[in-house]
């Protein structure tokens, strides 16, 4: 499926349009489907774009919205595998767009109500001219290999007993590569080499862009930062702990590493 972004609401009506309506971070669905704008009863729409030609709109519902019979409000994560993949990804885009639009209703510099800027995904201040674009927080995530094993850690905020790759947010002024080296040094006390870019993934919880790398251990003693990591170790592919669920990029990095070392 092909998605083309749009920044201004088209005039013409699209009877096949899709409506992504959120109450907080929960999406309104009917079974395995998103709604139609006709279900939203005149609520103001934010335009996202077209998916295979179908207009896609986003809506903000009240925090205490009560779904009608046959409809449900669900967080995005459990909807993965239930909504078609392109719709799930688009729902993440819609969630971030709705949150950004709500959080930038007023200028962050002078407090004046902002306005949609035509032709852009931006809100502008008519008083001081400040523009606000959707916020993205880039984060690196790294699969570190050492002699056929991978470093997997259980973070302090992880659910259950899951172990995953090391990850961290990019600081202002830092390159992705510098961030990888700093995060690994801070969280695990080791040095790495042979960084290879391994793909990226939008992660709308709430507005990350995960940038994946693989790397090789280059030196140092494994020393885990207890403020971030509860436990961590080098795991062999035939003796793995509980892994992160799909569709996380962490799981993809781990699966790709398993395929590399076991074939
Ligand atoms: Zn302003």
């Amino acid at each position: 499926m092909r998605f083309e972004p749009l920044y201004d609401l088209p005039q013409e009506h699209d009877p096949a349009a899709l409506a992504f309506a959120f109450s907080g971070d929960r999406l309104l669905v009917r079974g395995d489907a998103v709604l139609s704008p006709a279900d939203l009863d005149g609520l103001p729409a934010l335009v996202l774009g077209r998916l295979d030609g179908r207009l896609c709109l986003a809506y903000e519902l009240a925090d205490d919205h009560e779904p009608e019979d046959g409809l449900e409000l669900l967080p995005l994560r459990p909807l993965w595998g239930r909504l078609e993949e392109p719709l799930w990804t688009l729902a993440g885009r819609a969630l971030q767009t709705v949150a950004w639009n709500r959080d930038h209703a007023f200028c962050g510099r002078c407090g004046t109500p902002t306005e949609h800027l035509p032709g852009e995904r931006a809100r502008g201040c008519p008083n001081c001219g400040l523009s606000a674009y959707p916020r993205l927080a880039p984060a690196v995530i790294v699969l570190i290999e050492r002699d056929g094993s991978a470093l997997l850690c259980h973070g302090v905020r992880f659910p259950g007993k899951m172990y995953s790759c090391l990850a961290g947010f990019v600081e202002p002024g830092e390159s992705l590569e510098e961030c990888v080296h700093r995060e690994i040094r801070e969280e695990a006390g080791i040095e790495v080499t042979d960084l290879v870019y391994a793909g990226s993934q939008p992660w709308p919880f709430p507005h990350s862009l995960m940038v994946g790398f693989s790397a090789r251990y280059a030196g140092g003693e494994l020393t885990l930062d207890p403020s971030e990591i509860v436990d961590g170790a080098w795991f062999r592919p035939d003796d793995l702990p509980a892994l992160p669920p799909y569709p996380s990029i962490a799981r993809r990095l781990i699966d790709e590493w398993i395929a590399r070392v076991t074939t």
Side-chain angles (χ1 to χ4, degrees):
M1 285 190 185
R2 181 170 162 187
F3 181 76
E4 294 167 81
L6 281 177
Y7 305 111
D8 302 312
L9 205 56
Q11 293 301 313
E12 77 275 14
H13 175 69
D14 177 359
L18 299 169
F20 296 85
F22 286 91
S23 169
D25 62 358
R26 293 173 305 154
L27 177 67
L28 194 57
V29 292
R30 180 183 286 119
D32 299 342
V34 298
L35 305 190
S36 148
D39 297 310
L40 276 305
D41 209 17
L43 219 61
L46 286 167
V47 65
L48 300 171
R50 293 189 192 278
L51 184 67
D52 281 351
R54 293 173 85 177
L55 186 63
C56 299
L57 302 172
Y59 297 83
E60 183 179 14
L61 304 167
D63 286 346
D64 60 355
H65 181 84
E66 287 289 338
E68 293 169 30
D69 281 353
L71 304 184
E72 281 177 284
L73 276 171
L74 292 171
L76 283 189
R77 284 179 215 243
L79 282 169
W80 189 80
R82 184 163 152 182
L83 287 181
E84 279 183 83
E85 173 97 46
L87 292 181
W88 189 83
T89 305
L90 198 48
R93 185 188 288 250
L95 173 60
Q96 289 181 80
T97 304
V98 166
W100 159 74
N101 192 66
R102 179 191 62 223
D103 295 349
H104 291 85
F106 296 90
C107 176
R109 186 192 282 156
C110 77
T112 303
T114 58
E115 298 168 348
H116 166 66
L117 293 181
E120 294 187 79
R121 182 89 58 223
R123 297 193 65 83
C125 174
N127 180 48
C128 76
L130 184 70
S131 300
Y133 297 87
R135 188 166 85 175
L136 285 177
V140 299
I141 180 159
V142 195
L143 187 291
I144 307 168
E145 300 185 61
R146 180 184 188 179
D147 301 331
S149 296
L151 178 62
L152 299 173
C153 296
H154 181 72
V156 291
R157 290 180 292 270
F158 285 6
K161 294 208 179 303
M162 181 184 92
Y163 282 64
S164 186
C165 308
L166 290 182
F169 287 106
V170 180
E171 300 259 345
E174 191 172 52
S175 71
L176 296 172
E177 293 82 355
E178 287 167 340
C179 180
V180 167
H181 290 289
R182 176 184 55 77
E183 279 290 340
I184 293 171
R185 219 173 273 136
E186 284 175 5
E187 295 191 359
I190 58 172
E191 300 294 329
V192 293
T193 186
D194 296 346
L195 271 193
V196 178
Y197 172 70
S200 66
Q201 181 183 44
W203 196 241
F205 308 108
H207 44 235
S208 299
L209 174 65
M210 305 301 294
V211 185
F213 290 91
S214 64
R216 270 196 318 116
Y217 168 83
E221 191 73 31
L222 190 62
T223 314
L224 301 171
D225 172 4
S227 69
E228 296 275 345
I229 294 168
V230 179
D231 183 38
W234 299 99
F235 289 93
R236 301 194 62 80
D238 56 3
D239 186 23
L240 290 167
L243 298 177
Y246 300 103
S248 61
I249 191 170
R251 184 55 178 267
R252 202 179 88 206
L253 293 175
I254 295 167
D255 283 356
E256 286 171 1
W257 163 72
I258 294 169
R260 267 202 308 280
V261 294
T262 55
T263 49

